[in-house]
Amino acid sequence: MCNLYANTLAPTLMQQLFAVSTMNDHLGNAEPHTAIFPKGTAPIVALDENGERVLLNTHWGFVLPQVSKRTGKPIRPKAVNNARDDKLRSSSFWKASFTERRCLIPASSFCEAKGRNPATYVWFGVTGEAARPPFALAGIWRSFAGNYGTDYRELITSSMITTTPNALVKDTHPDRMPAILDPEDYEAWLTAPAEDAFRLIRPYPAENMAIHQQGEDLKSDLGGL
């Protein structure tokens, strides 16, 4: 499961790549994100109530409230940041968001850890002319309003879709990888009926991917800057 990725794209580049007008860019003075962890700030491309593309900052991970087993009081919630493709249409936790609220998650790389004590951090991306060619992960989003531990918060939350790994990723993570979308599928992912969108979820071709860097203590993709 992917619990770490990077988005080092400038907002103006995201506007261009994902056909978002300047007026619909709500990221503010966004700086490059070399390491996005669950509960971190995750920019997405979604559709507003008028069907126009917008850039939004989100909380990475759907909020799952928790209470202390010892005291019964609210504690910091979980952030469920990966949605398995085989659960999207059957789980009540994901189904409505997949049907009604799909999004693109801009990225420059994603990371999987291999082994433990110490782990090797492997940063994957797509091939292209740039050092870290941009791409989009298949995502879903929903709003949250309620107790976030001991505080009340109103959030837009997002989660990325995971699928079976290709040959390149499988050596590091044998079970799952984030679903990377082909650029020609961006519009269909955002607007098509759910069954048609589901067909777009598949392992990205290994020959179109690369390992950008790997090693211990590489919990951010500084090479993307």
Side-chain angles (χ1 to χ4, degrees), residues 10-22 53 55:
T12 52
L13 180 56
M14 285 187 273
Q15 292 173 25
Q16 178 184 352
L17 290 173
F18 303 110
V20 179
S21 72
T22 302
R53 294 189 186 188
L55 275 164

Side-chain angles (χ1 to χ4, degrees), residues 3-5 35-42 60-61 81 121 123 219-220:
N3 291 312
L4 175 60
Y5 76 104
I36 303 174
F37 292 93
K39 302 180 183 177
T41 299
W60 186 28
N81 55 292
Y121 295 92
W123 286 89
K219 292 187 178 182
S220 62

Side-chain angles (χ1 to χ4, degrees), residues 1-224:
M1 307 296 273
C2 181
N3 291 312
L4 175 60
Y5 76 104
N7 174 5
T8 57
L9 313 179
T12 52
L13 180 56
M14 285 187 273
Q15 292 173 25
Q16 178 184 352
L17 290 173
F18 303 110
V20 179
S21 72
T22 302
M23 295 295 292
N24 287 338
D25 180 353
H26 303 295
L27 300 182
N29 295 321
E31 296 182 356
H33 298 284
T34 60
I36 303 174
F37 292 93
K39 302 180 183 177
T41 299
I44 66 167
V45 179
L47 298 180
D48 66 12
E49 62 273 13
N50 298 316
E52 295 185 358
R53 294 189 186 188
V54 292
L55 275 164
L56 303 171
N57 281 320
T58 70
H59 170 284
W60 186 28
F62 283 14
V63 176
L64 183 62
Q66 297 189 103
V67 296
S68 169
K69 293 180 180 179
R70 183 175 62 85
T71 66
K73 295 182 179 180
I75 58 175
R76 190 167 176 82
K78 287 185 177 180
V80 189
N81 55 292
N82 289 171
R84 291 176 59 103
D85 55 355
D86 55 352
K87 303 293 184 182
L88 285 175
R89 298 177 292 178
S90 59
S91 169
S92 59
F93 194 74
W94 305 119
K95 187 175 181 180
S97 295
F98 172 64
T99 302
E100 304 169 10
R101 296 180 298 275
R102 295 187 295 273
C103 64
L104 307 173
I105 303 177
S108 49
S109 58
F110 69 89
C111 183
E112 299 287 0
K114 183 177 182 179
R116 295 183 179 181
N117 300 321
T120 298
Y121 295 92
V122 185
W123 286 89
F124 297 92
V126 301
T127 57
E129 295 180 1
R132 297 286 192 280
F135 57 94
L137 301 168
I140 53 179
W141 69 273
R142 72 180 183 189
S143 299
F144 170 82
N147 291 330
Y148 193 94
T150 57
D151 301 320
Y152 176 86
R153 296 183 67 181
E154 295 182 0
L155 302 167
I156 299 173
T157 66
S158 63
S159 179
M160 64 177 60
I161 311 302
T162 65
T163 187
T164 52
N166 61 26
L168 181 68
V169 178
K170 190 172 184 178
D171 182 60
T172 301
H173 198 296
D175 299 320
R176 312 297 295 173
M177 70 173 287
I180 300 173
L181 294 168
D182 290 322
E184 59 265 30
D185 293 332
Y186 291 169
E187 178 67 13
W189 178 255
L190 291 173
T191 64
E195 288 305 307
D196 293 337
F198 188 78
R199 298 187 186 97
L200 304 177
I201 304 171
R202 51 188 179 265
Y204 200 71
E207 61 270 22
N208 295 337
M209 291 185 62
I211 294 175
H212 290 321
Q213 60 177 342
Q214 59 183 317
E216 300 172 15
D217 300 322
L218 283 176
K219 292 187 178 182
S220 62
D221 187 15
L222 296 177

